[in-house]
């Protein structure tokens, strides 16, 4: 027989995706939110009814303005008390304060003082600002963005259900137009809330079951309270671009809400059918609109946010309001449209919009977040109401009528929607900052920080110093010609050069060695470079050398290997149209690897494509592969097409094709990327990972290079299909080979994503999913959700989300079936 807790967990899991152990905390959050909104719903109904009954709708702007002024003092007091007593005690203290003050208002209203309704109105607004802000700060402490998106629909619905319950309680039990005895019921809800908070957060120092990030804030050091106040909170928001966008969006939204509230109350005040029934009407109406908000919150909010993301979810509220306001602009006195406007405003405000708005705070660091929320939720909310009141009073002074107010409100909503778009874009950057880059591609680091060609040239020169004085001098001249002959290199060579005194270059070094300790460049070096260049360009000298080379080539053997090396090296120092270049073909095919290596280097310097095919063939041999690759790289992107022909030729050796992939990746040009991308869908399985990795190398070196997204997405689907197949195989036949294939497939999948989206963003997400903490992995998924379009998310989520083994198996099976269906 199933136990009670098990049935309860299944009930919650039918509403939201619930992980083991989350049912307790979600239930307590639900009750916490339920109790404070139930009490506020009663207080709110009495707030509006008493104000309209005593002072009238035209004096509402005065209440808005007074609230905005006083809330600044509340922010300062709240911040300083929090710094002294810690978060949990602050919440309990706040509940106790509002319990006592509610009872005090219940007593004072018996004196029937007209202006007491104004004080009560302001107090009710402070009640809402303080308790709701504290609740959402607790939520920010408890969850990362992924958890909050899953669960906000459930615990957020507790607040809406509390509003429904409090509103209906008001409507059913009110015995007069303004029945203040209902404040005793609100007090009861607040009293019950205290043990719920203790169960949720525990006594300070005893709640070891909670993760570290939700341990209650401890009091600050002595004197800290003096540094925390309204000005410090304002400075925090003003100094952060993301928070400024949030604050601006909330300000405009609340100005809009103020305009809507006035329009609604104005229409209600003029409705003859509601005369002497205001308290009952507001109670039933508030409950009715909250029923709609409850349905949206519990059944749609989490699903909508998870499916469509924050950006689209944050635009629903303003778009719907524009539609209803357009109707009210046409029929300004319609009670039905006024009810629709207020109902739409509050149902979406309490559900989808509030949930998205609170999710925006989660990635912010705690030290900034708490100051920002206190300022925005307490002060700015009321300030915006006051600003709305000023604007409303200014408009009303011109007696504009409801139609013009509706048009002005629509204009404000357009600015609000623009800010919503900007803040959701900035949210991606904030999430990205939570993810540290854990490593860079090794070849990228080497490419950016080390000049391998220079290092190889230096080592060749030092090696040739013992082999041939002529080779040694030619190496030094080549370095000098490329402006790579550094003072450090000169000191090294002079230290080793005992036999260089018989050459002009050696004499130059000897001349400089003693008097120039800093080894600065001198005019004699430049003169030497100029003289050698002129000699090499001389046609008679070239003919003389050509005859010598011809004689050497007729006597191939070990005894002439150095002479052939000198010939191959010398050709690369001459102009491409030199007659000596005709001998390169024979030198490339020389049996000596050293001769062939120097001939490849010289051929690449001539840029003559006649030798490309011979050099490509050298890629097949391990001993000459790297030298051949370096020579091909010297040709640049103009030979990318020739390399692609070999890569696409299925009759060619796989090792040769693999080496060509490497060369194209090292070219790192748009042409090379284009030719590699052409092979994505037809490359053999043995070269699949190498090809994808080559493209990833190019994109990591140059993110501006673009690849055809349609081709990449087809390949992405293929890689995901392969991952799913291996995943299912691994369940039946587990083993290290399949685990490696799964890891390789996942790497390739993220590399492919990096061809569609910015590679640095995708790399951050992948690294934190693979090697980060649970929290950083959650932020990695959040970053991907903000970046990826829905079709790409649908492919990745069954592979990446934190699911139970059975749920992952089911989702991968469904995904594989869909991919196989699309393939056919």
């Amino acid at each position: 027989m199933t136990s009670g807790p098990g049935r309860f967990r299944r009930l919650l899991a039918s509403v939201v995706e619930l992980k083991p152990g989350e049912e307790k905390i979600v239930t307590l959050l639900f009750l916490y939110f339920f109790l404070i909104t139930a009490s506020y719903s009663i207080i709110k109904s009495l707030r509006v009814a008493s104000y309209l009954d005593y002072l009238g709708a035209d004096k509402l702007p005065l209440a808005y303005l007074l609230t905005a002024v006083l809330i600044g003092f509340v922010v300062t007091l709240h911040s300083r008390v929090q710094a002294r007593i810690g978060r949990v005690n602050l919440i309990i203290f706040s509940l106790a304060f509002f319990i006592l003050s509610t009872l005090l208002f219940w007593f004072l209203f018996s004196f029937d003082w007209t202006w007491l309704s104004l004080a009560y109105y302001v107090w009710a607004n402070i009640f809402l600002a303080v308790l709701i802000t504290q609740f959402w700060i607790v939520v920010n402490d408890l969850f990362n963005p992924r958890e909050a998106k899953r669960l906000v629909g459930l615990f957020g619905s507790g607040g809406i259900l509390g509003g429904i319950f409090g509103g209906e309680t008001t409507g059913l039990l009110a015995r007069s137009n303004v029945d203040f005895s209902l404040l005793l019921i609100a007090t009861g809800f607040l009293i019950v809330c205290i043990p719920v908070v203790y169960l949720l957060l525990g006594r300070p120092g005893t709640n070891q079951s909670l993760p570290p990030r939700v341990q209650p804030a401890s009091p600050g050091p002595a004197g800290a309270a003096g540094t925390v106040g309204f000005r410090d909170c304002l400075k925090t928001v003003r100094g952060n671009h993301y928070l400024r966008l949030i604050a601006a969006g909330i300000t405009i939204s609340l100005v809009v809400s103020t305009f809507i509230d006035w329009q609604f109350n104005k229409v209600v005040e003029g409705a003859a059918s509601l005369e002497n029934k205001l308290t009952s009407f507001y109670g039933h109406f508030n409950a009715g609109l909250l029923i709609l908000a409850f349905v949206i919150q519990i059944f749609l909010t989490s699903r909508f946010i998870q499916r469509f993301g924050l950006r689209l979810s944050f635009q629903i509220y303003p778009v719907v309001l524009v539609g209803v306001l357009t109707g009210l602009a046409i029929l300004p006195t319609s009670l039905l449209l006024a009810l629709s406007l207020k109902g739409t405003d509050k149902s979406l405000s309490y559900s989808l919009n509030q949930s998205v708005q609170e999710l925006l705070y989660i990635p912010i660091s705690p030290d900034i977040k708490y100051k920002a929320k206190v300022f925005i939720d307490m002060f700015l909310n009321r300030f915006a109401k006051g600003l709305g009141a000023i604007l409303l009073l200014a408009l009303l002074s011109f007696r504009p009528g409801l139609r013009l107010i509706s048009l002005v409100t629509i204009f404000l909503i357009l600015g609000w929607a623009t800010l919503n778009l900007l803040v959701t874009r900035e949210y991606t950057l904030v999430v990205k900052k939570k993810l540290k880059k854990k490593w860079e591609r090794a070849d990228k680091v080497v490419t950016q920080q080390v000049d391998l060609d220079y290092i190889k040239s230096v080592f060749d020169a030092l090696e040739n110093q013992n082999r041939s004085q002529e080779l040694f001098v030619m190496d030094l001249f080549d370095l000098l010609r490329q402006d790579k002959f550094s003072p450090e290199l000169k000191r090294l060579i002079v230290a080793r050069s005992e036999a260089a005194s018989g050459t002009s270059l050696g004499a130059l070094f000897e001349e400089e060695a003693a008097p120039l300790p800093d080894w600065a460049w001198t005019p004699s070096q430049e003169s030497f470079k100029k003289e050698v260049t002129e000699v090499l360009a001389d046609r008679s000298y070239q003919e003389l050398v050509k005859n010598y080379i011809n004689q050497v080539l007729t006597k191939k053997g070990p005894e002439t290997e150095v002479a052939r090396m000198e010939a191959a090296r010398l050709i690369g120092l001459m102009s491409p149209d030199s007659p000596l270049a005709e001998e390169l073909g024979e030198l490339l095919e020389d049996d000596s690897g050293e001769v062939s290596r120097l001939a490849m280097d010289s051929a690449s310097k001539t840029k003559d494509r006649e030798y490309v095919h011979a050099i490509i063939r050298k890629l097949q041999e391990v001993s000459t592969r790297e030298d051949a690759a370096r020579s091909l790289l010297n040709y640049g992107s103009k030979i990318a097409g020739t390399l692609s022909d070999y890569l696409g030729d299925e009759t060619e050796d796989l090792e040769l094709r693999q080496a060509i992939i490497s060369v194209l990746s090292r070219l790192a040009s748009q042409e090379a990327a284009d030719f590699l991308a052409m092979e994505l869908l037809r490359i053999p399985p043995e070269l699949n990972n190498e090809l994808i990795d080559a493209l990833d190398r190019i994109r990591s070196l140059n993110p501006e290079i673009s690849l055809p997204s349609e081709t990449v997405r087809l390949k992405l689907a293929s890689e995901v299909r392969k991952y799913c197949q291996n995943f299912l195989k691994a369940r039946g036949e587990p083993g290290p080979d399949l685990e490696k294939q799964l890891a390789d497939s996942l790497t390739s999948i993220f590399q492919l994503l990096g061809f569609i989206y910015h590679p640095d963003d995708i790399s951050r997400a992948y690294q934190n999913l693979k090697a980060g903490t649970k929290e950083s992995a959650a932020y990695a998924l959040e970053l991907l959700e903000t970046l990826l379009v829905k079709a790409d998310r649908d492919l990745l989520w069954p592979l990446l989300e934190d699911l139970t083994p059975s749920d992952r198996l089911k989702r991968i099976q469904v995904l594989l079936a869909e991919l196989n269906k699309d393939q056919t």
Side-chain angles (χ1 to χ4, degrees), residues 208-515:
Q208 300 302 316
S209 62
L210 293 177
R213 71 176 184 275
V214 302
Q215 297 295 326
S218 58
T227 64
V228 179
F230 176 82
R231 185 176 298 177
D232 190 44
C233 295
L234 171 61
K235 184 178 178 181
T236 298
V237 174
R238 191 172 56 187
N240 186 294
H241 178 63
Y242 180 59
L243 292 173
R244 289 200 305 271
L245 287 174
I246 293 177
I250 290 175
T251 298
I252 296 182
S253 71
L254 291 173
V255 169
V256 167
S257 182
T258 301
F259 278 50
I260 289 174
D261 188 55
W262 181 86
Q263 289 172 278
F264 170 70
N265 286 311
K266 190 66 176 176
V267 174
V268 168
E269 186 183 37
S273 58
L274 298 178
E275 189 175 355
N276 296 323
K277 301 177 183 178
L278 289 179
T279 299
S280 178
F281 163 75
Y282 278 110
H284 287 299
F285 176 72
N286 288 335
L289 67 87
L290 287 175
I291 289 174
L292 176 60
F294 176 76
V295 172
I296 294 172
Q297 181 71 16
I298 197 167
F299 294 112
L300 299 178
T301 294
S302 290
R303 291 179 174 87
F304 198 93
I305 294 172
Q306 287 181 290
R307 185 173 180 82
F308 298 106
L310 294 180
R311 186 168 300 171
L312 181 58
S313 301
F314 215 23
Q315 297 293 354
I316 295 298
Y317 181 28
V319 169
V320 173
L321 284 181
V322 167
V324 181
L325 277 165
T326 302
L328 195 63
I330 298 171
L331 300 172
T333 60
S334 170
L335 179 60
L336 179 60
L337 283 175
L339 293 172
S340 300
L341 177 63
K342 187 68 173 180
T344 301
D345 177 32
K346 293 307 176 186
S347 62
L348 289 176
S349 174
Y350 293 157
S351 57
L352 182 62
N353 193 72
Q354 184 179 38
S355 297
V356 174
Q357 188 173 291
E358 296 300 332
L359 288 172
L360 295 175
Y361 289 103
I362 292 180
I364 305 172
S365 60
D367 57 325
I368 295 175
K369 180 192 311 182
Y370 302 133
K371 294 177 184 178
K373 280 195 68 62
V374 167
F375 175 80
I376 293 174
D377 291 2
M378 292 186 187
F379 171 76
L380 192 63
N381 279 2
R382 296 303 121 193
F383 171 81
K385 288 284 186 179
L387 178 61
I390 293 172
L391 294 176
L392 190 57
L393 286 170
L395 278 174
L396 292 177
S397 67
F398 296 99
R399 300 184 179 276
L402 287 168
R403 181 175 284 109
L404 181 58
I405 298 294
S406 297
L407 294 175
V408 171
T409 307
I410 291 173
F411 176 78
L412 291 171
I413 290 175
L414 295 178
W416 169 26
T418 301
L419 286 169
N420 283 357
L421 180 62
L422 293 175
V423 77
T424 49
R425 287 179 179 174
E426 192 72 16
Y427 174 82
T428 302
L429 300 178
V430 175
V431 170
K432 193 188 305 182
K433 290 177 182 177
K434 301 285 288 187
L435 302 173
K436 294 183 179 179
K437 198 80 175 287
K438 298 185 178 298
W439 65 81
E440 292 282 0
R441 285 186 62 108
D443 48 13
K444 178 181 178 181
V445 174
V446 170
T447 299
Q448 292 178 340
Q449 299 184 7
V450 181
D451 188 345
L452 292 178
D453 288 339
Y454 171 69
I455 293 174
K456 188 175 187 304
S457 297
V458 171
F459 276 97
D460 287 345
L462 296 175
E463 184 178 355
N464 286 335
Q465 186 177 15
N466 299 322
R467 180 182 287 157
S468 162
Q469 187 62 27
E470 286 74 12
L471 279 174
F472 177 55
V473 172
M474 284 189 283
D475 288 338
L476 297 183
F477 170 72
D478 196 27
L479 287 168
L480 185 62
R481 189 173 63 171
Q482 298 178 56
D483 293 326
K484 291 184 177 181
F485 201 59
S486 66
E488 294 80 10
L489 178 58
K490 285 198 291 182
R491 285 195 290 268
L492 175 63
I493 290 174
V494 168
R496 292 172 53 97
S497 182
E498 297 178 354
S501 58
T503 67
S504 299
L505 190 58
L508 175 62
F509 285 145
E510 285 185 344
E511 178 185 343
E512 291 181 347

Side-chain angles (χ1 to χ4, degrees), residues 60 186 246 275 413 421 529 630 638 683 767 802 812:
L60 277 173
I246 293 177
E275 189 175 355
I413 290 175
L421 180 62
K529 183 169 67 172
R630 288 160 57 87
K638 68 179 183 180
I683 199 74
Q767 292 176 15
D802 183 18
I812 284 182

Side-chain angles (χ1 to χ4, degrees), residues 17 40 45 57 90 93 155 198 203 229 236 356 423 455 470 503 602 612 718 784 798 811:
E17 183 184 337
Y40 175 68
S45 296
L90 175 63
F93 174 82
F155 65 73
Y198 265 110
R203 295 179 183 274
T236 298
V356 174
V423 77
I455 293 174
E470 286 74 12
T503 67
S602 292
V612 170
S718 174
L784 290 175
R811 292 186 63 176

Side-chain angles (χ1 to χ4, degrees), residues 666-680:
R666 290 165 67 178
L667 281 174
S669 64
Q670 182 65 60
E671 293 86 350
D674 290 339
F675 285 118
L676 285 172
M678 288 171 55
E679 302 298 325
L680 267 177

Side-chain angles (χ1 to χ4, degrees), residues 157-174:
S157 65
I160 299 173
L161 191 62
I164 295 172
F165 187 81
E168 279 303 301
T169 299
T170 303
L172 293 173
L173 299 182

Side-chain angles (χ1 to χ4, degrees), residues 529-547:
K529 183 169 67 172
K530 180 180 178 182
E531 290 174 4
V532 173
T533 302
E534 290 175 355
V535 170
L536 292 175
D538 185 78
R539 284 292 177 179
S540 60
Y541 175 75
Q542 292 177 6
E543 289 296 333
L544 179 64
V545 174
K546 181 179 180 182
N547 292 334

